[in-house]
Amino acid sequence: MTETNTRADAGTGTGGAGGADVHTGAVRMLRVPHDDPRVAGLLAGLMEEYTERYGAEGAANELSRYPVTEFVAPHGCLVLAELDGEVVAGGALRPYRKGRVDQADTVEFKRVWTSARHRRRGLGRQIMTALEEAARDLGYTRVMLFTGPSQPEAVALYERIGYRWVDPTTVEDLPYPKAIPFAHDLRNRTPQPLA
């Protein structure tokens, strides 16, 4: 497991005596294997979010389409943001088109999520940065990801951080008909726009 601490404006941070690190308000970014017990927090959050947007059947279908075993090491992992012991954001990565030699350098990001109670604090950007770092560490050089028209916040985030739209007619295996594909080159380490 890899861990880093960052600050999020959670409105609860209180400096400790002598400048000691107090975890209240500190976001811990964790890189975990697929079977880490904390992954349950991500899955529960996703189920709630997907149920609200797509209904119970749609949520169940989406989570069963890509079970957590899709993100197994050594070619995949999950990234979690933990705040005061609660998983508040996360994402996962896996090989894109598993077994396709011509795209072995391409990773797919899935399960990118931020709790509705913790949005607009930069957690989505932090999760994407952590996913990109994990993907580079695993040897990937390109990213593909898909989102849907019912997730305008995700579309806006990907555009803001420099991901480019891909014409869906050029993607032979769209996960669903209205999927919006994005791509990104991981070799480009230029700072992401803040707008």
Side-chain angles (χ1 to χ4, degrees), residues 134-154:
R136 282 187 195 97
D137 290 349
L138 293 173
Y140 296 109
T141 60
R142 296 175 356 149
V143 176
M144 279 295 293
L145 63 81
F146 301 89
T147 192
S150 295
Q151 295 175 289
E153 307 92 339

Side-chain angles (χ1 to χ4, degrees), residues 102-133:
D102 61 332
Q103 292 193 321
D105 64 336
T106 305
V107 65
E108 182 177 10
F109 291 170
K110 302 291 296 173
R111 307 292 182 241
V112 178
W113 164 82
T114 301
S115 163
R117 295 184 328 276
H118 298 281
R119 292 202 178 128
R120 307 202 53 83
R121 297 180 182 163
L123 291 173
R125 182 181 299 270
Q126 289 179 41
I127 288 296
M128 291 299 290
T129 297
L131 285 169
E132 289 172 1
E133 289 170 0

